[in-house]
């Protein structure tokens, strides 16, 4: 009996991790011959005609880098549709001028079928625009500000909004 309950629980857990028909993509960014960012994201989202869907990006950042000297930007864009969305990770321990985001965590991108306003994790009022269905390009960028401005992009991932 316990085995059946465990099996059913694992099936439900497995089906809730990523949207139907979405593949999980894991990539890394190498800077100065060292892996500085590793992240995982699904490659598609199916829109909810009445509301919004969240897509979570799980990330790990090397602890030797922190905001304001370095940050990570996750971006999604379509030149054809003139649409874009980005989220930033400001790594640090929240002490002094260091960033508020953990070195290991997750960020969300919100996809809405209609525009929606909400308060983000920093307390800012933001607007999530309505996203069109189609193909987008997802890319992560590791940005070092000091001692010299350097941007290192990840490989581009095709992301589909259904």
């Amino acid at each position: 009996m316990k085995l059946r309950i465990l099996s059913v629980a694992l099936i439900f857990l497995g089906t809730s991790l990523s949207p139907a028909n979405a593949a999980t993509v894991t990539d890394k960014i190498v800077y100065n011959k060292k892996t500085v960012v590793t992240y995982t994201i699904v490659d598609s989202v199916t829109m909810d005609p009445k509301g919004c869907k969240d897509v979570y990006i799980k990330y790990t950042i090397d602890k030797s880098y922190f905001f304001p000297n370095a940050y990570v930007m996750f971006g999604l864009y379509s030149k054809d549709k003139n649409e874009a969305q980005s989220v930033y990770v400001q790594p640090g321990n929240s002490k002094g001028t260091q960033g508020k985001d953990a070195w290991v965590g997750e960020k969300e991108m919100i996809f809405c079928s209609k525009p929606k306003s909400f308060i983000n994790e920093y307390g800012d009022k933001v607007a999530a625009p309505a996203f069109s269905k189609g193909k987008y390009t997802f890319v992560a960028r590791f940005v070092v500000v000091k001692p010299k401005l350097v941007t290192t992009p990840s490989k581009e991932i095709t992301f589909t909004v259904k």
Side-chain angles (χ1 to χ4, degrees), residues 107-125:
K107 283 288 185 172
E108 69 180 340
M109 288 186 136
I110 300 173
F111 295 88
C112 299
S113 55
K114 299 174 184 173
K116 182 179 179 183
S117 295
F118 63 96
I119 305 296
N120 69 10
E121 69 267 26
Y122 299 112
D124 301 323
K125 184 176 181 180

Side-chain angles (χ1 to χ4, degrees), residues 4-5 14-15 35 52 74 105 125 130 146 154 160:
R4 277 192 211 169
I5 292 172
T15 57
T35 299
C52 301
F74 296 108
K125 184 176 181 180
K146 294 178 183 178
S154 67
T160 306

Side-chain angles (χ1 to χ4, degrees), residues 14 26 28 31 39 48 55 58 62 68 90 118 129 133 155:
T26 299
K28 64 182 177 181
Y31 173 72
Y39 66 92
D48 178 353
V55 172
K58 295 181 180 182
D62 184 301
Q90 300 175 352
F118 63 96
K133 294 179 179 180
K155 71 177 184 181

Side-chain angles (χ1 to χ4, degrees), residues 4-127:
R4 277 192 211 169
I5 292 172
L6 179 61
S7 298
V8 171
L10 288 174
I11 289 169
F12 283 126
L13 179 63
T15 57
S16 67
L17 291 179
S18 62
N21 300 326
T24 301
V25 179
T26 299
D27 195 17
K28 64 182 177 181
I29 298 175
V30 176
Y31 173 72
N32 283 344
K33 300 178 184 177
K34 182 178 180 184
T35 299
V36 291
V37 178
T38 304
Y39 66 92
T40 302
I41 186 170
V42 293
D43 70 350
S44 66
V45 63
T46 301
M47 297 291 280
D48 178 353
K50 297 178 184 174
C52 301
K53 288 277 189 163
D54 297 340
V55 172
Y56 290 92
I57 306 161
K58 295 181 180 182
Y59 66 85
T60 302
I61 301 170
D62 184 301
K63 284 191 173 187
S64 60
Y65 295 96
F66 54 88
F67 185 82
N69 298 335
Y71 63 90
V72 178
M73 191 261 326
F74 296 108
L76 184 74
Y77 66 91
S78 170
K79 291 179 185 175
D80 299 339
K81 294 176 181 31
N82 195 25
E83 291 180 295
Q85 181 177 170
S86 60
V87 292
Y88 293 85
V89 179
Q90 300 175 352
N93 59 14
S94 297
K95 294 180 182 174
T97 60
Q98 284 198 18
K100 300 175 189 172
D101 298 315
W103 282 280
V104 176
E106 63 181 27
K107 283 288 185 172
E108 69 180 340
M109 288 186 136
I110 300 173
F111 295 88
C112 299
S113 55
K114 299 174 184 173
K116 182 179 179 183
S117 295
F118 63 96
I119 305 296
N120 69 10
E121 69 267 26
Y122 299 112
D124 301 323
K125 184 176 181 180
V126 295

Side-chain angles (χ1 to χ4, degrees), residues 75-79 83-85 135-139 141 156:
L76 184 74
Y77 66 91
S78 170
K79 291 179 185 175
E83 291 180 295
Q85 181 177 170
K135 301 262 185 218
Y136 292 81
T137 301
F138 177 88
V139 67
R141 287 184 168 77
E156 293 183 348

